[in-house]
Amino acid sequence: EYAQTGARMEHRSGGEEERPPVGLSELPQTVLPDLYGVSRAGSMRLISGNQIESSAAIYAGLFATLLVAPLAWCSRRHRSLNLFCSLLIFLSLSWCLNVPGMVDLLRLPGLRMMSHNRLVFVGSLMILALTSIGLESLLRGEVSWRRWFLVPGTVLVVLGIWCLFRASRLPDLVAASQQWGIKMWFIRSYSISGILCGVGVAGWALLSSQSGSRPWFVPALGIFLVGDLLWFAHDRRTQSDPAYYYPRIPVLEEIARSTNNRILGYECFPATLAQTHELRDIRGYDSIDPGRLMALMDLAIDPDFRSKMFKYAITQLFRPRIEFRRGGVKLPPILDMLSVRYVIFRGTPRPPIRPALQGNDYWALINHA
């Protein structure tokens, strides 16, 4: 009942899509997730959207997906389970790949309230299940040459050649970059991806010969499966030292001591972080985005900012209409009524602005009204 009052739900029920389907260009990064770059220092993202919200989130390993998982079909005992897993992989990717018919189905009332791009996590689990069955088939000696071995082998050949080509001829966006470090990142990434594809092709060649049945093959394959994932995880820091989570910021602490009125971050300081310094942000924070609160805040938004804000999280970053005055700011009257006393900014204030409070990257102005 409460969710129905949310602005986000209203937008979705009206047919608005936060992350619309893309198409077949999403398919290669299911096995080479860094193909289009990453959003971190030393690299850049070549396509819109972030990596973790794309088809790359299905990644369970290049060797797992294109070398071991297909071997599950060598097990007659698991044919029905294999079919079920394969169907779920297809369904989980259908939104990202913009599969006709499936996308229309997922856009039906009720179903369109979900974030379909996140279904790829189900597909990732199914790839893992097929990989387990494939390894068991190898251990049981059920794997022997079949013509369809040529299909995943050919896919690896094509991917490998394409990656090596890209390593020597970078995408236009990367080639135009003035940062040599970014170019080197892509050259290294494409080169290693091409080498990994070559190792996968060698694996299929061994499976097609008598060497694939030798005792050392399965342990060696296990090492490559783990190594593949370790290479992907290398230099990805998803967690920082807890000392850096919510560092004390003198400007914010001073505001907290001086008033119990509300604050507002100006294109900075996502609202929920105000709680770390016992401040009250007028935006609150609620993933439902209560419709009535969003309608109220909409009265104060700077018109030039509408195209930049996140439609699926209207107040996550916010920029109100504002006038800089001697000794403070003038805000829309609705924010005066809602008791917004301080507006918080980041960076260095431009002359002739004189902040009421200023310190370590943060500064604040007072709303005297």
Side-chain angles (χ1 to χ4, degrees):
E1 181 180 353
Y2 174 57
Q4 294 174 13
T5 69
R8 180 182 291 190
M9 297 296 104
E10 291 174 1
H11 295 160
R12 286 186 182 179
S13 63
E16 187 173 300
E17 295 170 356
E18 298 164 11
R19 298 173 185 88
V22 179
L24 286 177
S25 61
E26 290 270 291
L27 188 58
Q29 64 178 350
T30 60
V31 289
L32 296 173
D34 290 346
L35 195 67
Y36 300 124
V38 296
S39 301
R40 66 173 188 262
S43 182
M44 62 188 296
R45 191 83 172 136
L46 301 179
I47 57 177
S48 60
N50 60 60
Q51 187 182 39
I52 201 170
E53 293 280 3
S54 70
S55 62
I58 200 175
Y59 175 74
L62 174 69
F63 298 137
T65 307
L66 291 179
L67 179 57
V68 184
L71 298 179
W73 290 98
C74 294
S75 175
R76 293 182 177 275
R77 297 178 298 112
H78 296 96
R79 290 289 171 85
S80 58
L81 179 58
N82 295 341
L83 184 61
F84 175 73
C85 292
S86 301
L87 179 62
L88 282 183
I89 292 171
F90 170 76
L91 292 176
S92 70
L93 283 170
S94 60
W95 178 263
C96 294
L97 301 183
N98 199 15
V99 176
M102 287 304 306
V103 169
D104 297 327
L105 176 65
L106 295 172
R107 281 173 171 162
L108 291 176
L111 288 176
R112 65 187 177 200
M113 306 300 283
M114 297 166 50
S115 294
H116 301 304
N117 58 298
R118 294 175 183 171
L119 291 174
V120 294
F121 291 114
V122 177
S124 184
L125 182 61
M126 294 303 101
I127 292 173
L128 180 61
L130 291 173
T131 301
S132 300
I133 297 171
L135 283 173
E136 184 182 355
S137 299
L138 274 171
L139 287 170
R140 289 175 172 269
E142 298 173 344
V143 176
S144 58
W145 160 254
R146 289 167 171 79
R147 287 185 179 179
W148 58 260
F149 281 12
L150 294 173
V151 176
T154 302
V155 171
L156 283 167
V157 169
V158 172
L159 281 174
I161 293 174
W162 190 87
C163 286
L164 294 176
F165 167 75
R166 272 302 180 201
S168 60
R169 186 173 179 179
L170 294 171
D172 293 341
L173 196 60
V174 179
S177 174
Q178 300 298 315
Q179 301 183 45
W180 180 246
I182 290 179
K183 294 181 180 180
M184 287 304 300
W185 187 94
F186 276 93
I187 291 172
R188 183 173 63 253
S189 179
Y190 284 133
S191 299
I192 293 177
S193 296
I195 292 170
L196 290 176
C197 289
V199 172
V201 173
W204 280 114
L206 287 171
L207 286 170
S208 302
S209 65
Q210 294 300 318
S211 301
S213 60
R214 294 183 181 179
W216 57 265
F217 186 75
V218 174
L221 190 56
I223 292 172
F224 277 108
L225 287 172
V226 175
D228 185 3
L229 295 177
L230 287 176
W231 162 250
F232 172 71
H234 172 68
D235 204 30
R236 292 176 193 266
R237 298 177 181 87
T238 58
Q239 188 173 5
S240 303
D241 187 317
Y244 295 110
Y245 284 178
Y246 304 113
R248 309 315 297 172
I249 300 172
V251 169
L252 304 182
E253 290 186 317
E254 189 171 347
I255 293 174
R257 287 193 300 266
S258 65
T259 183
N260 194 37
N261 290 325
R262 294 190 174 100
I263 64 152
L264 177 63
Y266 186 89
E267 270 193 85
C268 71
F269 206 67
T272 192
L273 292 182
Q275 298 174 24
T276 64
H277 285 67
E278 299 181 358
L279 293 168
R280 300 192 304 156
D281 195 306
I282 184 56
R283 297 170 291 172
Y285 183 72
D286 187 336
S287 60
I288 292 294
D289 277 355
R292 288 183 294 178
L293 176 60
M294 297 304 104
L296 197 65
M297 297 299 291
D298 186 69
L299 300 175
I301 292 177
D302 184 339
D304 295 334
F305 186 66
R306 291 186 185 279
S307 60
K308 300 178 183 179
M309 67 184 188
F310 303 121
K311 291 184 178 179
Y312 56 85
I314 295 173
T315 57
Q316 181 176 338
L317 292 177
F318 192 80
R319 189 173 81 190
R321 299 193 308 277
I322 194 170
E323 292 181 23
F324 295 98
R325 295 186 170 183
R326 183 181 296 274
V329 292
K330 183 179 184 302
L331 296 174
I334 191 70
L335 296 182
D336 297 342
M337 186 191 77
L338 294 172
S339 190
V340 176
R341 176 71 169 172
Y342 284 93
V343 182
I344 296 173
F345 302 81
R346 290 194 68 178
T348 303
R350 304 187 309 271
I353 297 174
R354 294 183 178 180
L357 298 167
Q358 184 174 3
N360 185 21
D361 192 40
Y362 284 88
W363 52 285
L365 294 175
I366 298 176
N367 174 25
H368 293 286

